[in-house]
Amino acid sequence: MTAIPMEYGLVLAAVLFAIGLAGVLVRRNIIFLLLSIEIMLNASGLAFVVAGSRWNQPDGQVMFLFILTTAAAEVAVGLALALRLASRFKTLDVDAASKMQG
Amino acid sequence: MLSYLWLVLALPFAGFFVLAVGGARLPKSAVAWIGVGTIGASALLSILIGAGFLIAPPPHHAYTQTLWTWIHVGAVTQKVSLYLDALSLIMMLVVTFVGFWIHLYSAEFMERDEGYSRYFAYMNLFVGSMLTLVLADNLLLLYLGWEGVGLCSYLLIGFWYKDSVNGIAACKAFIVTRIGDTAMLVGLFLLFFSLHTLQIQDLMHRAVEQWPVGSGLATAAAALLLGGAVGKSAQLPLQTWLPDAMAGPAPVSSLIHAATMVTAGVYLIARTNVLFALAPVVQAIVAIIGAVTLVGAGFSALTQWDIKRVLAYSTISQIGYMFLALGVGAWSAAIFHFMTHAFFKSLLFLGAGVVIQAQRHEHNMFKMGGLRKQLPVTFWTFVIGACSLAALPWVTAGFYSKDLILWDAWHSQQGSAWLWAAGVIGAFLTSLYTFRMVFLTFFGEQRQPVDHKPRLRVIVALVVLAAFALCSGFLELPQTLGNVPLFTSFLHNALPAVNARPFPTGLQLLFQVVTAVVVLGGIYLSYLLFLRDRGFVQSATNTPVGQVLHRFWFTGWGFDWLYDRLLVRPFIWLARADKGDVIDLIYSEIASVTRTLHELASATQTGRVRWYAMGIAFGAVIILAIVRSR
Amino acid sequence: MTTTFYVSAAVAIIATAMAVTRSHGVHALLYLIVSFLAVAMVFFVMGAPFIAALEVIIYAGAIMVLFIFAAMMFNLGQQAVPQERQWLKPGMWIIPSLLAAILLAQLIALVFAGGGRNLAAGIATPREVGIALFAPYLLGVELASLLLLSGLVGAYHIGRHLRRSDATP
C-alpha cells in the first residue's frame, strides 16, 4: 500500500482535538462538556498511536491504553460529580456552580 | 525669706492638683478650705517676701531663684527660674492679694453650683499660671504662664458649659487671644535667633548692645510682642472677645478679666521696656492704640444694658489708659494704674455679681432699680468702686493713678497734647457711664424683689477691696498734693523713669483741676440724664442719627461684623470648598486607581469552568506561538 | 488501505462535528460512537489492531454506554432540546471556534515543520503490546490499576449521599 504520511495522522488528531476544544468552550450542559473532553482525550490518544506506528513499535499503543484507563476513571468520577451538581443546583448548567467568582 | 519664692507658685498648683484629682469626692467645705486656703497662704507668703524685700533688698534689687533646668538640647538651655524685682513683686502681691479676696467671695457665691470643686481647681490653676507669668525669669517660662492663663480663661468662661452660648464665647476668647499668642511666639523665635537667649535681663543687655535704636529687628520684635499683648489685654484690634467673655461667673470676670489676665499684656510690655525703647515707632503705636481704644470703649460702655458688659468695656478702656502710659514711657504710672484698677474693677465685678444673683440672674440694668436700701453694703462698696473708677478727685485711688497717667501723657517727651486730650475725654466718658450704671441699678424704683442677700464672706471681700480702692492711691501723691512718690521710686529700681520735658510750674495743678472738673461734670451730667429724667436720653436715642450711633456703639464699633465678613466667612467658605479634601485627592486617587486595577483583575475570576478552559486554551496558543517563533 | 484511511478520517471528523453541535443528547452520543468506530478503523489501518479493538470495546462500548445511561438518567432526550437550543445560540460559537481554529493552525504548522515521514507498513501485534506491557511498562500497568481503583472509590463516594429524589434535575 502507498504510505500515509505521518503528518496526515497528526493533522487528523489535531482537527479532532480542536473540535473537542470548541465543544468544551461552547456547551453549557455538563454531560456534553464531559463528552467534548472525551473527544479531546481520544484525539490525543490517536496522536500517540500515530507516533508509535511511525516507529513500528507498540509503545504508542501502550500509551493509548493508559489514556483509555484515565478516560474511564475520569468519566466515572465526572458523572458522579454531574449527579451532585444536578442535586445541588437542580440544573445541569455548569455555569450554575460559579460561586467562586470575584 | 526670699528663698521661699517658689512656694508662692507651688501652693496654687498643689491646690489645683488636689482638687482636680479628688475634688469631686471631698465635701464642699473641704474644697473651699483647700481652694481659698492655698491662695491665702500664697498671699501671706507674698506679703512676707515683700516685707523681706523692702527691709533687706537683695543686690541690684533683683533676686533670681533657679528651680531646675527645663530644656537642655544642643545649644539651647532653658531653665525654670524665678525673678523677683520691684515690678514682679508688685504684680505678685496684687495677684495673690486680690485673688485671695475673690476666692473668699467665690466660696460663698458659687455655693449652690454643682461644679464647685471644678471651679476652685481651675481658679487655682489660673493663679498658679499667672504667678508663673509674672515671676518668670525667661520669656519661654513667661509664655508657659501666658498659655496657662489663656487655657484657664477658656475653661472658666465656658464654666457653665451646658449652655452652648458660653462655650462659644469661650472659644471666641481663646481663638482671638491665640492670634496674639502666635504673633508673640514668632517674636520669641525672632529674639532667640538674633540674640541667642530668652533670659529677660540678658536679652535686654544684648539688645541694647547689638541693635541700634529704630533698627528693623528691634521694631519687628517689639511689634510682634505688642501683638501678643494686644490679644491678651483686649486692645484694638483684638478686643472683641472680652465683652463676650462675660458669660463666665462674676468672680471669674473679676479675677481674670479685670484684675489679672488682661493686664498680662501690660506686664509684658513693661518687662521688655528696653525693646520698646529701641523701637520708638512701635512705642508710639502702643500709645495710639491705648488712646483710641480707651475712647472707643468708653462710647460703647455708654450704650450697654447688661451690667457686666458695661464693666467689660470699662476694663478695655482702663487698660487703654495703661497702654497709653506705656506708650509715652510712663512705665511706673501704668503699673500704678494697674494696681488701683485691680482693686476697684474687681470690686465692681463682685458687686455686680451680688446684684445679679439678688435679681435672679437678671443682667439687664433697665430691669433693676432701687436696690440701695435692700443691699446696703453692696451699694456702698459699689459706689466706692465706681467713684474710684471715675477718678473722683482726692479721695479715691483711681484719681491719683489716672491723674498721673494724664500728666505723664502730656509732659513726657513721647507724649503729646492729643494723647492727653484723648485721656481727658475718656475720663469724662468713664464718669458718665459709671454713674449711669450706678443710678440705673441702685436708684429709682425697684422693679424686681431681692432674691438672695450676701452673707459674711462676700461682705468681707467687698469691704476689704473697697478700702483698698480708696486708700491704695495714697502711696503715690503728686508733687502738688503732698509729694509722696513711694510707689514710683520703688519701681524705679526696675523700670526707667519718664523722660520729662520742661514745663512751667503750676501747670501740673492746672491739669489736676481740669481732670477734677471733667470728672465731677461727668458725674453731674450722669445724674441729670439717668436719675432725674431719663426721657431726654430716650428721645435722643430715637432720632435717626441717635439710632445709628447707638447701634454702632452698642456692637463695639462694628468689629464683630467686620471680622465676620473679613475673616470668618472666607475661612468657612474655604473649609466648605475643601470638604472633599482636595489636597488629599492625590493620595486617594492612587488608591482608587489601584482599586480599579484590582476590580479589572478580579473580573477575570468569573467562577465559570468554560471561562477557565478558554484561559487554558488561550495560554496554549500563546505558548505554541512562542515555541514557533524560536 | 490509504482510501480507507482518508474515508475513515473524513467520517470521524464529520461525526465529531455533528456530535458537538447536536441539541438532542442521545443523538450526540450516537454520533460520537460513530466517530469512535471511524477512529478505530484508522487505528486498524495504521497497524494497531489491538488498540482498534480496545477502542471499540472500551471507549465506544463501555464509556459511551455509561454516558447513555447518564443521559437517560438526566432525561437528556427530546425534553431537554429546547433548553439546549437556548444555550446554543449561534453567536456563542464565534470566539470558541476562532480560538480552536488558531490552535489548530498552530498545531498543523508545528506538525508540518518536522521532517516528513511515512507511517510504517508493519503491524504492531497484540503479542508485542502484551510483552511491552509486562516488561518495560509494568509499573505503568500497576499505576493504571491503582488509578481505576481510585476512580471507583471516588465515584462511589461522591455519588453516595445522593437521595434518590434529587437524581433528576
Side-chain angles (χ1 to χ4, degrees):
Chain A
M1 53 191 162
T2 43
I4 306 161
M6 189 183 81
E7 286 78 15
Y8 291 2
L10 290 177
V11 164
L12 172 64
V15 170
L16 289 177
F17 187 85
I19 294 172
L21 179 66
V24 165
L25 295 179
V26 171
R27 304 299 305 238
R28 248 167 109 161
N29 193 319
I30 194 167
I31 304 296
F32 287 96
L33 192 73
L34 289 169
L35 203 71
S36 309
I37 292 174
E38 291 310 309
I39 298 170
M40 288 161 76
L41 279 167
N42 184 43
S44 51
L46 173 60
F48 269 106
V49 172
V50 165
S53 157
R54 180 235 176 284
W55 295 100
N56 201 16
Q57 282 177 350
D59 295 57
Q61 300 184 38
V62 166
M63 196 58 214
F64 185 85
L65 195 64
F66 293 148
I67 291 177
L68 203 57
T69 316
T70 309
E74 173 253 324
V75 163
V77 175
L79 286 173
L81 284 174
L83 273 175
R84 294 308 291 268
L85 180 78
S87 82
R88 171 82 173 80
F89 294 101
K90 307 286 183 285
T91 173
L92 285 174
D93 182 359
V94 81
D95 279 351
S98 61
K99 260 244 175 105
M100 283 187 62
Q101 61 187 294
Chain B
M1 197 71 243
L2 288 179
S3 57
Y4 288 112
L5 189 58
W6 64 275
L7 207 55
V8 176
L9 261 186
L11 282 169
F13 280 125
F16 160 70
F17 187 70
V18 169
L19 288 173
V21 168
R25 278 166 278 185
L26 293 169
K28 275 199 173 152
S29 57
V31 170
W33 274 102
I34 295 175
V36 180
T38 52
I39 309 297
S42 273
L44 198 60
L45 204 55
S46 316
I47 294 173
L48 290 173
I49 290 176
F53 192 90
L54 284 168
I55 294 170
H60 303 294
H61 285 274
Y63 171 72
T64 313
Q65 185 178 45
T66 306
L67 296 176
W68 71 85
T69 306
W70 183 10
I71 301 173
H72 185 62
V73 177
V76 178
T77 308
Q78 297 293 331
K79 296 192 181 7
V80 173
S81 51
L82 307 175
Y83 182 78
L84 188 69
D85 67 350
L87 175 60
S88 52
L89 178 66
I90 289 177
M91 299 290 296
M92 178 175 78
L93 280 171
V94 169
V95 169
T96 50
F97 190 69
V98 172
F100 170 66
W101 295 112
I102 295 176
H103 274 72
L104 186 65
Y105 171 100
S106 319
E108 183 189 311
F109 187 81
M110 300 293 287
E111 236 173 11
R112 281 179 277 180
D113 201 295
E114 45 160 356
Y116 202 62
S117 63
R118 183 164 61 101
Y119 175 83
F120 276 105
Y122 290 158
M123 290 289 267
N124 272 15
L125 181 64
F126 170 78
V127 174
S129 306
M130 189 71 204
L131 287 169
T132 311
L133 199 161
V134 161
L135 290 171
D137 184 36
N138 56 45
L139 285 176
L140 198 60
L141 190 62
L142 190 148
Y143 192 70
L144 177 70
W146 192 273
E147 291 298 319
V149 298
L151 170 70
C152 294
S153 166
Y154 166 81
L155 290 172
L156 285 165
I157 295 173
F159 184 71
W160 290 315
Y161 59 86
K162 295 204 170 114
D163 186 354
S164 63
V165 175
N166 301 334
I168 292 170
C171 282
K172 181 175 176 181
F174 195 77
I175 292 172
V176 175
T177 51
R178 201 93 198 88
I179 298 172
D181 295 348
T182 311
M184 184 174 163
L185 191 61
V186 174
L188 290 188
F189 281 134
L190 181 69
L191 284 168
F192 187 72
F193 277 118
S194 339
L195 299 172
H196 305 292
T197 178
L198 283 179
Q199 208 265 350
I200 298 179
Q201 304 306 314
D202 242 358
L203 196 70
M204 300 294 121
H205 287 138
R206 291 189 203 183
V208 169
E209 282 166 22
Q210 294 178 16
W211 290 346
V213 175
S215 69
L217 276 176
T219 313
L224 288 167
L225 289 180
L226 175 63
V230 156
K232 215 36 136 215
S233 294
Q235 298 295 289
L236 228 65
L238 295 173
Q239 87 285 11
T240 51
W241 64 272
L242 192 54
D244 287 342
M246 297 299 114
V252 166
S253 308
S254 168
L255 182 61
I256 299 183
H257 304 125
T260 43
M261 185 185 93
V262 290
T263 53
V266 176
Y267 172 72
L268 178 69
I269 297 180
R271 238 313 154 233
T272 54
N273 58 73
V274 170
L275 275 179
F276 285 87
L278 285 174
V281 175
V282 181
Q283 199 173 7
I285 291 176
V286 173
I288 293 171
I289 287 178
V292 173
T293 309
L294 77 91
V295 172
F299 278 114
S300 286
L302 207 48
T303 57
Q304 302 296 322
W305 47 257
D306 181 339
I307 188 172
K308 281 180 78 180
R309 280 180 90 100
V310 175
L311 291 171
Y313 278 109
S314 172
T315 307
I316 297 176
S317 181
Q318 297 303 307
I319 298 177
Y321 271 104
M322 296 180 217
F323 267 60
L324 177 60
L326 292 171
V328 300
W331 314 100
S332 319
I335 301 300
F336 187 40
H337 194 59
F338 150 74
M339 188 180 77
T340 58
H341 174 263
F343 288 124
F344 61 68
K345 193 46 75 63
S346 56
L347 170 64
L348 284 170
F349 267 109
L350 295 185
V354 171
V355 164
I356 289 171
Q357 232 187 15
Q359 298 279 275
R360 251 179 250 139
H361 297 286
E362 175 62 64
H363 285 230
N364 192 341
M365 290 188 294
F366 288 96
K367 295 200 182 136
M368 304 178 194
L371 291 174
R372 66 195 155 110
K373 297 201 182 63
Q374 304 260 2
L375 301 170
V377 178
T378 314
F379 169 63
W380 283 110
T381 52
F382 198 87
V383 165
I384 289 172
C387 290
S388 208
L389 173 58
L392 197 68
W394 303 300
V395 289
T396 56
F399 171 71
Y400 292 109
S401 60
K402 193 174 284 185
D403 181 63
L404 186 61
I405 292 181
L406 289 176
W407 172 240
D408 281 340
W410 189 84
H411 99 288
S412 157
Q413 294 275 15
Q414 292 145 303
S416 82
W418 288 107
L419 293 172
W420 173 81
V424 169
I425 293 172
F428 180 70
L429 286 172
T430 306
S431 54
L432 194 62
Y433 66 68
T434 309
F435 277 89
R436 166 180 180 260
M437 181 172 60
V438 171
F439 292 140
L440 282 175
T441 313
F442 290 100
F443 288 77
E445 30 171 293
Q446 192 171 8
R447 281 167 227 261
Q448 239 184 319
V450 166
D451 191 34
H452 176 83
K453 288 204 183 172
R455 296 190 311 278
L456 181 66
R457 287 173 282 186
V458 168
I459 290 177
V460 166
L462 290 175
V463 167
V464 169
L465 287 173
F468 273 86
L470 282 180
C471 303
S472 56
F474 298 131
L475 277 175
E476 179 68 24
L477 297 174
Q479 285 174 313
T480 53
L481 288 169
N483 202 13
V484 180
L486 277 176
F487 194 83
T488 42
S489 55
F490 179 60
L491 267 181
H492 286 154
N493 295 322
L495 296 171
V498 178
N499 277 339
R501 54 178 151 156
F503 57 93
T505 48
L507 199 62
Q508 197 174 9
L509 188 60
L510 177 65
F511 272 50
Q512 280 169 2
V513 168
V514 168
T515 313
V517 164
V518 160
V519 168
L520 289 171
I523 296 175
Y524 183 62
L525 186 62
S526 176
Y527 162 71
L528 286 178
L529 289 176
F530 297 110
L531 191 59
R532 256 248 288 262
D533 178 18
R534 293 191 198 164
F536 177 74
V537 174
Q538 276 168 345
S539 53
T541 332
N542 281 336
T543 62
V545 175
Q547 272 183 339
V548 168
L549 275 179
H550 182 93
R551 205 177 54 231
F552 189 52
W553 289 336
F554 182 74
T555 57
W557 296 72
F559 267 92
D560 277 327
W561 177 91
L562 181 69
Y563 287 153
D564 184 54
R565 292 284 187 287
L566 199 63
L567 298 171
V568 175
R569 285 195 194 186
F571 187 76
I572 291 178
W573 176 86
L574 203 64
R576 285 220 182 97
D578 195 34
K579 205 162 147 187
D581 209 345
V582 174
I583 310 291
D584 222 30
L585 214 61
I586 302 169
Y587 304 104
S588 58
E589 277 309 302
I590 295 176
S592 63
V593 162
T594 313
R595 197 174 297 122
T596 312
L597 286 176
H598 153 73
E599 269 157 30
L600 282 175
S602 81
T604 59
Q605 301 289 309
T606 53
R608 298 204 300 253
V609 178
R610 300 176 300 139
W611 176 268
Y612 296 146
M614 171 141 12
I616 296 173
F618 192 63
V621 164
I622 291 178
I623 291 177
L624 282 177
I626 294 173
V627 167
R628 267 304 275 143
S629 67
R630 286 190 193 278
Chain C
M1 275 301 193
T2 46
T3 41
T4 323
F5 172 77
Y6 290 116
V7 168
S8 313
V11 169
I13 292 172
I14 294 170
T16 313
M18 296 292 278
V20 163
T21 53
R22 293 302 97 195
S23 309
H24 195 297
V26 181
H27 291 180
L29 288 164
L30 293 175
Y31 271 115
L32 198 58
I33 290 175
V34 168
S35 162
F36 287 157
L37 293 175
V39 168
M41 276 308 300
V42 169
F43 284 154
F44 193 79
V45 163
M46 285 196 301
F50 181 56
I51 288 303
L54 276 184
E55 173 88 0
V56 175
I57 297 169
I58 297 178
Y59 228 126
I63 294 175
M64 282 301 118
V65 170
L66 188 56
F67 263 104
I68 290 179
F69 285 158
M72 293 299 159
M73 188 158 68
F74 290 124
N75 280 338
L76 281 185
Q78 193 60 38
Q79 204 181 349
V81 167
Q83 173 73 291
E84 286 297 320
R85 286 250 167 76
Q86 196 193 7
W87 282 346
L88 271 185
K89 294 201 177 56
M92 299 225 9
W93 282 97
I94 299 174
I95 294 177
S97 314
L98 193 65
L99 199 59
I102 293 171
L103 191 62
L104 181 63
Q106 282 182 319
L107 287 172
I108 293 175
L110 271 175
V111 160
F112 277 108
R117 282 293 204 115
N118 289 339
L119 293 177
I123 300 175
T125 55
R127 186 189 153 83
E128 287 173 40
V129 176
I131 292 171
L133 278 175
F134 276 96
Y137 294 110
L138 182 60
L139 200 55
V141 172
E142 296 306 316
L143 287 175
S145 67
L146 209 55
L147 179 63
L148 283 172
L149 180 64
S150 69
L152 175 69
V153 170
Y156 170 75
H157 179 73
I158 291 173
R160 187 157 65 105
H161 298 287
L162 217 49
R163 267 171 246 123
R164 220 171 298 142
S165 58
D166 303 318
T168 50

